[in-house]
Amino acid sequence: MAALPADFEWGFATASYQIEGGVDENGRGKSIWDTFCHASPSRTKGADGDVACDHYHRYPDDFDLLQRYGAKAYRFSLSWSRIVPLGGRNDAVSEPGIAFYSRLIDALLARGITPWVTLYHWDLPQGLHDRYGGWLDVDEVQRDFERYARVCYERFGGRVKHWITLNEPWIQSIFGYATGVNAPGRSSTNDQAAEGDSATEPWIAGKALIMSHARAVALYNNEFRPQQRGKIGISLNGDFYEPWDAADPRDHEAVERRMQFHIGWFANPIFLRKDYPPCMRQQLGDRLPRFSDADFAILGDAECDFYGMNYYTSQFARHREEPPTETDFVGNVEELAENKEGVSVGPLSGVHWLRSCPDMFRKHLTRIYRLYGKPIYITENGCPCPGEDKMTREEAVEDPFRIAYFESHLDAICKAIKEDGSVISGYFAWSLMDNLEWSDGYGVRFGVTFTDYETLERTPKKSALVFKSLVEERQVSA
Ligand code: GBH
């Protein structure tokens, strides 16, 4: 069913720490991911981003690939500590860091590819973590992030017309400060973490992220939008859920609660200018920080242009009988891959948490569009193929599971547009190339391009070469 608009934006996505390497080049400051990857014993399966895909040196070749794939757009993130090595609002700006991203943006434009820039994809300057605890100091970090955003708009905003403030604040808050499996690795429930308080810190970090986003958008709206005329939004992650027992109203409530804990946490203040969802306030009480009138004034100045959706999978939710523990962050539900009848949510990919569930993706798109009312850009979607972590290059470049995943998810978008009336304006496949999959190291391969980590050679997988036609087949003519 052809339903994608003629001007549908599409391409591939990456993030700075996952691909760049070059961590000591040109005065770059350390980020919390440099520190986390070098912890001993390792918390990242021995992997680090010191070299990664060496994109820092190889970006022109990577952009040749993008051009060969026919991409209209490319989503990437800036490393804050390349631009402001120590991170803070009174700290020096690194001209070589600016020059690097400036060349990179020019290299995209020269190939006719539209840059979509994420300001923050989890790599907080270590300097800010050391100075005041990073995302745990709500007042300080939002001011430092605002100044970093200002530098980016000033230096790049003449050429960059699409901004994403934050990638997945949920993951930064929960994985960084509750489970401790991502940098800075703080937790009171994880044996590998020396410090942290999983009952309070994720909620503080969440507020810091919300206010940092809001300040960056308000700044854009008030000072840069009139001349630069770009668009700005945020990328939120969150699975779609269905009830484990469709006949049990308590499982229906569990479903809604789970999605509010994932998405409403951020989307209520950001898109609705409201307090956190009532179910969160009810469960978490005063552990959930309040928004002051001054906070709401900033949120009120921070209207976004779009909702960036990172979507990979769906699950079943089952209510729990016992009251929630202090460290619960999912809304007191059990998350399951099968429902009461033993029906699976979908076929398993190459990573344990990701099953292909296109019908639930369609429902997710339409739920989000109806709740928040902004055009949706899918800013990440993709998967590793079953067994891909153990494959040779010759095997991995044949990736029928990934192609089928892309096809079925593009079809779901078409249905959401045509049958549900949702507005979906673009799609970025995750990822341009295999890269550092955070705490999973280099084993899990999400790329449409195979990366040989010995030689750093890239080889297009079949999905990369057919992706353009998958989109164009579904596009309505102009
Ligand atoms: C995105 O996060 C990231 O933005 C991107 O950088 C990343 O490479 C991509 O996804 C692929 O993972 O069952 O405990 O192992 C998506 C968020 C984080 C969701 C890891 C699933 C696994 C939880 N994902 N999580 S666990």
Side-chain angles (χ1 to χ4, degrees):
M1 178 195 355
L4 304 180
D7 61 352
F8 193 68
E9 186 84 316
W10 69 270
F12 303 90
T14 63
S16 48
Y17 192 69
Q18 294 181 274
I19 63 166
E20 283 182 0
V23 290
D24 292 325
E25 300 275 344
N26 277 319
R28 172 184 177 276
K30 287 211 176 316
S31 82
I32 55 175
W33 270 97
D34 293 288
T35 310
F36 191 68
C37 286
H38 288 283
S40 125
S42 178
R43 297 171 72 170
T44 54
K45 305 192 170 158
D48 62 58
D50 291 2
V51 177
C53 303
D54 194 34
H55 178 73
Y56 186 84
H57 298 107
R58 294 167 194 252
Y59 69 87
D61 295 342
D62 290 333
F63 295 169
D64 287 345
L65 282 178
L66 266 179
Q67 196 172 26
R68 183 168 157 203
Y69 302 164
K72 292 175 63 174
Y74 171 58
R75 172 179 180 237
F76 64 101
S77 79
L78 306 177
S79 156
W80 182 345
S81 62
R82 266 193 212 289
I83 292 172
V84 187
L86 291 174
R89 58 197 179 279
N90 299 311
D91 294 325
V93 170
S94 163
E95 289 305 327
I98 297 274
F100 167 67
Y101 286 117
S102 201
R103 288 195 301 276
L104 194 145
I105 291 162
D106 286 341
L108 287 168
L109 295 172
R111 290 166 177 77
I113 298 165
T114 304
W116 279 63
V117 175
T118 306
L119 292 173
Y120 183 76
H121 198 126
W122 309 348
D123 45 357
L124 185 80
Q126 181 67 33
L128 300 185
H129 184 83
D130 295 342
R131 195 175 288 163
Y132 51 69
W135 293 115
L136 294 179
D137 192 328
V138 176
D139 288 331
E140 286 294 326
V141 73
Q142 61 181 280
R143 290 178 165 79
D144 288 344
F145 185 74
E146 179 187 41
R147 188 296 195 117
Y148 162 58
R150 176 187 293 280
V151 171
C152 296
Y153 304 149
E154 281 173 355
R155 300 306 192 89
F156 310 129
R159 290 165 288 167
V160 172
K161 302 299 174 188
H162 299 88
W163 296 99
I164 293 166
T165 54
L166 305 175
N167 183 70
E168 302 186 352
W170 191 91
I171 295 283
Q172 176 62 88
S173 307
I174 296 298
F175 283 30
Y177 298 88
T179 62
V181 296
N182 275 12
R186 295 177 62 86
S187 174
S188 51
T189 59
N190 179 334
D191 293 340
Q192 287 190 287
E195 292 173 63
D197 181 352
S198 304
T200 56
E201 290 186 3
W203 314 114
I204 296 167
K207 181 176 177 191
L209 287 154
I210 291 164
M211 293 312 301
S212 296
H213 157 86
R215 280 198 184 248
V217 177
L219 173 68
Y220 192 77
N221 288 347
N222 294 334
E223 296 187 34
F224 293 90
R225 184 188 292 276
Q227 294 80 41
Q228 297 188 351
R229 299 170 178 280
K231 292 192 191 302
I232 190 163
I234 184 168
S235 290
L236 299 181
N237 67 297
D239 302 349
F240 188 76
Y241 290 80
E242 287 193 342
W244 178 76
D245 179 355
D248 190 337
R250 292 169 303 175
D251 286 357
H252 286 268
E253 285 168 26
V255 157
E256 186 57 23
R257 220 164 44 240
R258 179 67 192 97
M259 294 196 280
Q260 291 295 350
F261 267 74
H262 232 144
I263 290 172
W265 178 10
F266 299 97
N268 265 36
I270 288 171
F271 290 100
L272 307 179
R273 287 81 172 261
K274 291 208 303 213
D275 191 30
Y276 301 109
C279 64
M280 292 186 73
R281 188 57 80 195
Q282 196 189 331
Q283 180 176 320
L284 302 168
D286 287 335
R287 285 188 285 128
L288 205 52
R290 302 266 163 195
F291 293 108
S292 66
D293 291 344
D295 293 335
F296 275 119
I298 297 170
L299 287 161
D301 282 344
E303 173 140 18
C304 291
D305 298 285
F306 61 88
Y307 182 107
M309 176 189 288
N310 290 2
Y311 170 86
Y312 290 92
T313 198
S314 298
Q315 303 188 63
F316 294 108
R318 185 182 188 184
H319 75 282
R320 290 168 55 91
E321 302 280 350
E322 319 77 50
T325 63
E326 268 228 312
T327 53
D328 176 83
F329 52 80
V330 295
N332 205 31
V333 312
E334 218 182 313
E335 304 177 280
L336 298 146
E338 288 180 5
N339 68 9
K340 193 181 177 190
E341 279 74 49
V343 177
S344 163
V345 80
L348 187 61
S349 72
V351 66
H352 68 91
W353 55 266
L354 201 168
R355 288 169 184 271
S356 178
C357 324
D359 294 345
M360 284 160 84
F361 178 43
R362 169 188 169 181
K363 294 180 190 173
H364 190 54
L365 285 163
T366 295
R367 174 179 182 273
I368 295 294
Y369 182 69
R370 291 187 182 156
L371 277 175
Y372 307 117
K374 292 287 178 193
I376 296 172
Y377 287 85
I378 292 112
T379 45
E380 286 182 26
N381 181 239
C383 66
C385 297
E388 193 171 355
D389 51 331
K390 307 225 161 49
M391 287 182 191
T392 63
R393 171 175 59 188
E394 287 62 36
E395 292 165 342
V397 296
E398 297 292 329
D399 56 347
F401 189 93
R402 181 177 287 105
I403 293 172
Y405 182 97
F406 286 149
E407 284 185 311
S408 59
H409 285 71
L410 288 168
D411 283 337
I413 295 169
C414 289
K415 286 185 192 143
I417 293 173
K418 206 155 176 173
E419 293 173 25
D420 308 338
S422 300
V423 177
I424 303 161
S425 307
Y427 178 101
F428 293 85
W430 185 270
S431 176
L432 174 60
M433 65 191 111
D434 298 333
N435 58 46
L436 174 63
E437 182 55 11
W438 306 109
S439 59
D440 276 337
Y442 289 98
V444 178
R445 294 177 176 269
F446 272 87
V448 298
T449 309
F450 180 87
T451 306
D452 179 330
Y453 294 110
E454 299 290 315
T455 63
L456 294 170
E457 194 185 336
R458 279 75 154 133
T459 310
K461 301 180 192 174
K462 192 173 264 170
S463 59
L465 303 173
V466 303
F467 194 83
K468 181 175 198 271
S469 61
L470 300 184
V471 172
E472 287 179 348
E473 278 163 10
R474 291 167 176 77
Q475 244 168 336
V476 295
S477 41

